[in-house]
Amino acid sequence: MSCVLMLSVSCILWGLGMNEVGWLIMVCAVALLVVMMDCPFNFYILKSEWLGVDEMSVLMVLLCLLVSMMSLVSSTKEVKNGFVVLMSGWSVVEMVMFICLGSVLFFSVCSWMDFFFFFEFSLVPTFFLILKWGYQPERLQAAVFMLLYTVGSSLPLLMSLVYFWSHIKSDNMLLSKMVGGWKDFNMNWPWLIMSLSFLVKLPVYGAHAWLPKAHVEAPLSGSMLLAGVLLKFGGYGLIRLMWFSEVTNSTIVLFVLVFSLWGGVLSSGVCSCQSDLKSLIAYSSIGHMALSLSVLLSFYSVGKMACVCVLYSHGICSPILFSLAANSYEFCQSRSIMLSKGISRIFPVISGVWFFFCILNMGFPPSLNFFSEVYSVGGLLSLQWLLGLMGGLMCLMTGAYCLILYSLVNHGVVSSMVFKPGLNLSYRYLVSSVFGGVLLLGGTLCLDMFFV
Amino acid sequence: MSPCCNAALSKFFFFFLFFYLAVVAGVFNGGALVLEWELSEKLFVETSFCLVLDWISCLFSMSVLYISGCVCVFSGFYLSHDKFLEKFFVLLKLFVVSMVVLVLFPSYLGLMVGWDGLGVISFLLVIYYLSSCSLSSGMITVLSNRVGDVCFILAISLMSSSLSFGMWGESFVSGFVLGIFLMMGSMTKSAQVPFSAWLPEAMSAPTPVSSLVHSSTLVTAGVYVLIRFSAYLSEFEMYMLSISSMVTMLLAGSSACMESDLKKVVALSTLSQVGMMMFAISLGANVIAFFHLLVHAFFKALMFMCMGGVIYYSGSCQDSRFLGGVWNKLPFTSCLFLFSNFSLMGFPFFSGFYSKELIVGAALSLNVGLMAVVLFFMCLAFTISYSFRTLNLVMQDMSVFSLKFYSMENGYYLSSLLLMMNGAISTSLIMQSILKEFSTVSFVNPSVFYSVLLLLVMFFFNLVLLFNCLSKKSFMSLTKNFLKSMWFLSIISGNFISSKLLMMISSYIVYVEMGWIRAFIGSKVINSISMVFRNKIWEMNMNFFGVILFVFLSVFLILKVF
């Protein structure tokens, strides 16, 4: 209660014109959320008829709020654009807030139908965000692909959730787990069809074609939200599905595990040969999500913990990489790696931040990414030695492309496109990166909070 | 040059801190301090960062901090006109911090902090001069180190099923696989065969970096980890390690006899000495290997500093074919270079002699085969031959020399040399007299040792004469190419693997990624499905019967569900 009071007082003060209150607001908000994390391990508490809370959902809500805050701070170009403000309609701040609202509710509801509703709800503001603030004419096809893939694969999920409702006679997640879930059924192929929607959202390797397109065509805030929050819907949905419907390990699950792990290795390899900065970071997202999916599907408890840890740490690190790429877009006017080079000589601090987040992406101890990677590979190795070796191969290729990314942007002679350094460079990018970096490095100190 | 003084003074402060801990607080008398920081309680294995201050870690951190302080002073001379000098000092500080973290935290989780940090910061240091050849050297350095990281990550994963990550465990769950991962990880960091290609390539770094990183700290990190975790190694790994270290010593020794770049010759001599340390570990003589590690760090850093002075004064010329006559022009430098080379060769009663003699004694008296002894002596002979070759190339007065402007009046250079001067001569004597662990007794008959050594040197001398008298040009050029490119290892590790892999990935992208996945599934399949659906729905909508059927079916479905 005291946190809420502090928060409201500082908001009022900010409205009245005090400028330095922003940090106070942020600290209060984070403190409020941390205080809410008093749920013990492995419990799920129904707070009301609509909302249910456990550690993982609090973590994901925290992630949503942080990523939307960072994306609002970093998208200076869209907010300050006078042309859009003059036209009537939504501004980018409202779009981002809609996506944030939809995500926060998605991670908090406790009934299957609301879960499905908010799963599809956040697609609409994202679609609008890409269409209105993207840069190239290919963005129409990219946004339509995203919609088509996600909605098309979630139709079986709707059907099976309706059938689940009719079988259990209740919509509540916790109640369905108490009653027994899908235990009476032989969940081989039906499991695959049900989770197809989450697998496409995650995205698993075969169905990943929408992600690089959407990332490349989206504006910065769209990319940050997509990478930071929307990909986590798939992982969260799979965990909830597995937990509440009591499915067991079967051949089809192992098939998807191996498929996604090998797909992760392949997409990490593909990353090393990309010529577009945003596309490179998009393929790295696919690799990380593939690792988290495969360790989740091993059905170990450390697998679930490592999956949530990967989701969280990737959700902080990837948006910051996207904001750094947008930073280099601002002074080079191009995303191609041939043109945005050599910023180590003129922007040493930004070069340092690039380096820091590149090595965080590859899993640099003692950050949260390192622990998530290590326990993912550990879970896979405990299942089967070959899977562990594949996980190790993926770590190797992740290291390779992260360092390739760093050296492509920072090394060598300054590119001739950078002719006026310091023109549009605002320190907002640095602020959000420092914030994310502190979270990722400091996450080690409270590892129990992230190992859900 | 105040950032230089700041950096050096901070290192020396911490040196004296560890000195205090070691001598005054009683660590050298057998005490130890252990601090454990528990990270997570949710897993069965205790995930903790465990700080251990015993005589090994104190002594190693003392020597690392001392050498890095001298290197900071030296880089105030070598990089005095460089624009990004503050960035260099920040990187050096971070590197020293990672190394000290590696030394002080002998539990696998804490060790990875230092291990990964070393690899990544050495990448930044190697690519410090932002050119394309330093980028390629940096990439092969960091990717070889990354292979070792992956081996360690797999080792951590195996260890998660036992009780703790520390160095005092027994691998009762996983057998000898844990030892294999441990050994492979250390081998990549310490540049043993087959991962040796990165060490001569990493000489694209500035000389202060080579002096600190590639002689004393980075390559010895693997040796240190093996010394600490030697309880996990079983018979099989010891065999593999001894074979690999001997091959490394042979490789380094034979390639150094043909190499013309002087910094690469010193790098190859480092490689052979690290191979010798690994060989000692594979015999089980861990303390002797640690002693050689420390002694080698001092005289090798001194050798690199002298080489750095020669390179600086000759206008960044590293090729020995353009150098000569340093004896007359830089007498102090060449004197110290001579002493450090004598130390490297194991000349009697110099610094390197004590530790090398202990290793030779261990090799002769513990159980290795005849072939191992012969190969070991061959490596010693190689060391003598390339050391004399280097001395000859640098100091003898040929008529072509690029050392035009020489003056030793730079204060930083002189003070760094003076600080490191002891390293070549008396470090091992000091260490042996302070610590009782280093003075072991080895039962080697000196007449046997010296006669075998002389025999092998004469044999090689005859071999070299034979080669020179051969008139077959193709055979000579093949041998030269073989030895110059490190038994073709540098070509295979770098160019061949990376180009083949990248071409494979590019063709995969063109055919599968852009072809099947995006164009076929993405465009054609999805479009055909959606088009067909859309057309059918349009047909149905225009049809009155279709509308009634749809309404009837949906009502029926809802009634059925509820």
Side-chain angles (χ1 to χ4, degrees), chain A residues 59-60 63 227-228 232 284-293 295-296 302-318 361 368-377 394 440 450-451:
Chain A
L59 202 62
M60 290 291 141
L63 179 68
K232 315 298 177 275
S284 98
S285 290
I286 301 179
H288 280 288
M289 291 292 116
L291 186 66
S292 77
L293 173 67
V295 76
L296 176 69
V302 77
K304 172 177 167 266
M305 290 189 211
C307 175
V308 173
C309 211
V310 172
L311 291 182
Y312 186 79
S313 56
H314 172 258
I316 301 268
C317 188
S318 216
N361 202 13
L368 213 51
N369 302 62
F370 169 68
F371 281 103
S372 59
E373 203 176 80
V374 160
Y375 284 107
S376 302
V377 173
M394 208 173 104
L440 281 179
F450 299 101
F451 266 11

Side-chain angles (χ1 to χ4, degrees), chain A residues 55 145 148 205 208 212 266 269 283 344-345 355 362 365 375 378 388 392 395 404 406 411 444-445 448 451, chain B residues 37 39-43 47 87 112 116 120 124 130-131 139 146 150 154 157 505 508 513 517-518 522 526:
Chain A
E55 272 190 330
F145 256 40
L148 213 53
Y205 185 67
H208 69 281
L266 286 176
Y283 275 106
S344 169
R345 284 186 204 268
F355 180 69
M362 97 179 175
Y375 284 107
C395 288
I404 287 177
Y406 171 74
H411 195 83
T444 319
L445 304 178
D448 273 350
F451 266 11
Chain B
W37 186 3
L39 281 180
S40 157
E41 294 166 345
K42 285 197 179 168
L43 303 168
T47 36
K87 175 172 129 176
M112 282 300 282
D116 247 323
V120 152
L124 276 184
L130 299 164
S131 68
M139 282 312 254
R146 187 71 190 158
V150 166
L154 287 170
S157 317
I505 292 178
Y508 169 77
E513 184 70 31
I517 295 182
R518 276 207 199 181
I526 302 256

